[in-house]
Amino acid sequence: MHSAAFAQLGLAAEYRAWGVPPEKLRAAVTALRAEHVLGANVTIPHKQAVVPLVDELSAEALAVGAVNTVINRGGVLVGHNTDASGFLHALTDLPLDPDGCDAVVLGAGGAARAVVYALLTAGARSVAVSNRTAGNARRLAAELAAHGRVRVLAPAELPAAVRGADLVVNSTSVGMAGVAEGESPLPAGVLPKRGAVVDLVYRPARTRLLADAAAAGLRVQNGLPMLVWQGAESFSCWTGLEAPADAMLRAAESQLA
Ligand code: NAP
């Protein structure tokens, strides 16, 4: 996706994937200070762990408590978060206006934090979070409280909250290739009565959750639009240029296919 964008704009830059074990994260971040490095993306499981390793945080990264984009400004590393704005941009593709909506967010990791922050700042009427580990959901709600109220759902409260929601977002890894693939993060038979279901997972393109929701006549979106929009904003942060989002989408689609 990023290589296609560099090629489209004729930039002599490369995007490489680094598999970084947790014990090597600090050294990997330090290596980003080199003169020839524009920056990096950060993904599972490092988005929160990288926060104390950068020199500065953008307002979004500070609010979300997670970094998915590092920008190298002359050896000073700025941690930024483009997941929140990428998620909101993808909602406009659906289309769904989050202003005034009742949303249920599944998960409490880095992606869920960005989604909850995005929904609160976009004017959602209510945001409820459900997560396997209740303590992580409570921590998320407490840390994002400055931006609006987040209700933490007990497992028994989940079905009613989902049925009444305008928007359900899966921001857990359940359904992702290699992590509980083929499983839904929702209990059997529990889906919203109306509205839309967004799954941040993009591989596979159609998760069990999205297949169930589409079969029930609900509007669905997988994680590809968000992936492209968060990537387009990262690209602009590194290069100062408008990202060729169409070329990035085509490249991402062809790689995932
Ligand atoms: P993360 O910080 O590691 O959080 C993972 C979340 O999934 C946690 O809430 C965790 O619950 C939950 N979880 C993991 N395995 C589970 C299981 N077997 N059963 C129930 N819950 C489980 O990861 P992340 O960065 O937030 O990413 C989460 C998902 O979003 C991934 O699939 C990722 O690919 C996707 N994502 C997509 C985009 C995009 O642009 N489309 C961007 C970011 C992330 P616990 O708290 O109980 O551990």
Side-chain angles (χ1 to χ4, degrees), residues 42-48 66 68 82-83 86-87 106-115 129-137 139-140 170-177 179-180 183-185 198-203 222-231:
V42 183
T43 190
I44 297 179
H46 300 312
K47 285 182 183 178
Q48 291 173 69
N68 78 328
T82 67
D83 280 336
F87 171 74
L106 309 172
R113 282 167 175 268
V115 167
V129 171
S130 166
N131 191 50
R132 174 178 64 179
T133 308
N136 291 344
R139 203 166 310 121
L140 178 156
N170 176 35
S171 39
T172 75
S173 318
V174 176
M176 186 177 160
V179 185
E183 289 179 27
S184 171
V198 173
D199 198 330
L200 300 196
V201 172
Y202 46 83
R203 195 171 50 200
N222 71 12
L224 187 60
M226 173 175 167
L227 180 76
V228 171
W229 288 119
Q230 62 77 31

Side-chain angles (χ1 to χ4, degrees), residues 4-248:
F6 290 135
Q8 171 102 356
L9 298 187
L11 300 177
E14 268 182 67
Y15 187 97
R16 294 187 199 150
W18 293 353
V20 179
E23 67 278 11
K24 297 210 169 132
L25 183 62
R26 183 177 289 274
V29 171
T30 298
L32 299 177
R33 296 179 200 276
E35 205 180 337
H36 65 282
V37 176
L38 295 172
N41 282 131
V42 183
T43 190
I44 297 179
H46 300 312
K47 285 182 183 178
Q48 291 173 69
V50 85
V51 167
L53 302 181
V54 295
D55 304 310
E56 294 172 15
L57 290 174
S58 69
E60 291 82 359
L62 191 61
V64 171
V67 163
N68 78 328
T69 303
V70 178
I71 307 148
N72 182 20
R73 296 221 168 107
V76 174
L77 299 182
V78 180
H80 182 43
N81 191 301
T82 67
D83 280 336
S85 57
F87 171 74
L88 287 180
H89 204 138
L91 284 188
T92 64
D93 292 343
L94 194 53
L96 185 133
D97 182 358
D99 192 6
C101 85
D102 292 319
V104 171
V105 177
L106 309 172
R113 282 167 175 268
V115 167
V116 169
Y117 170 75
L119 290 169
L120 291 174
T121 53
R125 186 168 69 166
S126 72
V127 179
V129 171
S130 166
N131 191 50
R132 174 178 64 179
T133 308
N136 291 344
R138 284 197 293 273
R139 203 166 310 121
L140 178 156
E143 288 174 14
L144 290 176
H147 305 282
R149 197 174 94 80
V150 180
R151 184 174 153 225
V152 176
L153 297 171
E157 296 173 310
L158 180 65
V162 165
R163 288 191 182 107
D166 303 302
L167 173 66
V168 172
V169 183
N170 176 35
S171 39
T172 75
S173 318
V174 176
M176 186 177 160
V179 185
E181 191 172 349
E183 289 179 27
S184 171
L186 288 179
V190 175
L191 284 169
K193 286 198 188 122
R194 56 176 194 279
V197 175
V198 173
D199 198 330
L200 300 196
V201 172
Y202 46 83
R203 195 171 50 200
R206 180 143 288 204
T207 56
R208 171 77 185 278
L209 172 66
L210 291 189
D212 290 349
L218 298 167
R219 287 180 302 140
V220 298
Q221 184 184 66
N222 71 12
L224 187 60
M226 173 175 167
L227 180 76
V228 171
W229 288 119
Q230 62 77 31
E233 192 189 327
S234 297
F235 184 92
S236 296
C237 291
W238 300 322
T239 63
L241 301 171
E242 190 176 334
D246 286 349
M248 294 176 80

Side-chain angles (χ1 to χ4, degrees), residues 1-4 203 224 227 248-257:
M1 179 170 85
H2 285 289
S3 300
R203 195 171 50 200
L224 187 60
L227 180 76
M248 294 176 80
L249 175 62
R250 283 194 303 274
E253 278 173 341
S254 102
Q255 287 297 314
L256 288 169

